[in-house]
Amino acid sequence: MILFVNACVRKDSRTERIAKALIETLGDKCEEVKLSELGLNPVLEGALEKRTKLAGKGLFSDPMFEPAKQFSRADTIVIAAPFWDLSFPAILKTYLENIYVIGLVSEYNSEGQPHGLCKAGKLYYVTTAGGQYLPDFSYDYIRLMAEKCFGINETELIKAEMLDVEGFDAEKLVKQKIEKIKNNSKAEAENE
Ligand SMILES: Cc1cc2nc3c(=O)[nH]c(=O)nc-3n(C[C@H](O)[C@H](O)[C@H](O)COP(=O)(O)O)c2cc1C
């Protein structure tokens, strides 16, 4: 199962279009989590206390654990998030806070090192930027989380940039990126 973590906000999101083209080529059953409609809250004291208490006892039947379970059992993860303020929309950080449940997505050894429990073999991070894309506080962070905390060792960045800069044809750049994804997938299928 592909888990599509959709952190796109705008109705005509270009990031979402590219991510959907990618998912089509991956050709597996897809579960979409549209973060702007999910109504997740940042993890505050009450929820944190409840979560720590239940997770400490290995009790994961409460609905609060559903997003973490879904993330943990996915075979492939596709995160789509526009480049906002050198990072990504806050709803994605809120989602990560909510799914980061010890005992479901990660566990820690006696030296305090995390060990990932997620099943996914690969995580794709799809983004678009108005200007030049800088990965430091978005893709690089997600890649580290995937490798060090979730146990997902393969990650790939798919990006289109300069979409809001005068003189650049945003529609053409998005279409080119979608074509490239489709061609890569065709070439891979032919090489199999
Ligand atoms: C709140 C907000 C913050 C943004 N911050 C940046 C930024 O730091 N750097 C940049 O290059 N573009 C920035 N942009 C432009 C978006 O990255 C760009 O328009 C992107 O393609 C939007 O993706 P979408 O079409 O999927 O909504 C920002 C846009 C918004 C609405």
Side-chain angles (χ1 to χ4, degrees):
M1 176 270 284
I2 301 166
L3 176 63
F4 177 26
V5 180
N6 187 349
C8 300
V9 173
R10 295 185 323 106
K11 188 163 51 68
D12 299 320
S13 165
R14 288 121 10 145
T15 317
E16 184 175 295
R17 270 172 67 196
I18 296 171
K20 285 188 169 165
L22 168 70
I23 289 165
E24 229 173 85
T25 67
L26 296 177
D28 198 359
K29 194 167 82 71
C30 179
E31 288 178 20
E32 178 177 353
V33 184
K34 178 90 178 155
L35 298 187
S36 60
E37 292 167 6
L38 203 58
L40 286 177
N41 293 313
V43 177
L44 299 177
E45 193 174 13
L48 188 58
E49 270 178 15
K50 180 179 169 186
R51 176 168 99 174
T52 307
K53 209 158 121 191
L54 290 173
K57 292 181 186 157
L59 299 173
F60 296 116
S61 58
D62 192 279
M64 79 188 304
F65 295 118
E66 280 314 312
K69 285 184 192 167
Q70 184 188 40
F71 190 89
S72 185
R73 70 170 178 258
D75 301 299
T76 305
I77 292 171
V78 176
I79 297 179
F83 191 45
W84 274 18
D85 308 327
L86 301 182
S87 183
F88 44 66
I91 46 169
L92 180 55
K93 184 66 173 84
T94 300
Y95 175 77
L96 292 171
E97 281 182 10
N98 276 270
I99 60 143
Y100 203 100
V101 177
I102 295 165
L104 289 179
V105 300
S106 196
E107 62 187 1
Y108 284 78
N109 67 16
S110 54
E111 269 113 54
Q113 298 296 324
H115 167 77
L117 299 175
C118 295
K119 185 178 160 205
K122 184 161 182 180
L123 182 149
Y124 294 88
Y125 187 82
V126 182
T127 193
T128 66
Q132 188 193 355
Y133 176 64
L134 303 170
D136 312 49
F137 304 111
S138 50
Y139 174 65
D140 285 352
Y141 163 70
I142 296 289
R143 181 172 49 79
L144 269 182
M145 286 287 280
E147 289 170 4
K148 299 228 177 285
C149 304
F150 299 143
I152 305 171
N153 292 320
E154 198 182 347
T155 59
E156 184 175 338
L157 169 67
I158 295 176
K159 63 172 169 132
E161 54 194 344
M162 310 301 277
L163 300 191
D164 299 335
V165 179
E166 227 182 290
F168 287 79
D169 185 339
E171 186 54 27
K172 192 172 160 193
L173 290 168
V174 170
K175 281 190 174 145
Q176 276 173 349
K177 184 55 62 174
I178 289 173
E179 267 319 291
K180 195 172 168 201
I181 291 168
K182 287 183 181 163
N183 290 339
N184 283 352
S185 153
K186 231 188 268 167
E188 269 172 32
E190 280 163 9
N191 285 336
E192 272 170 13

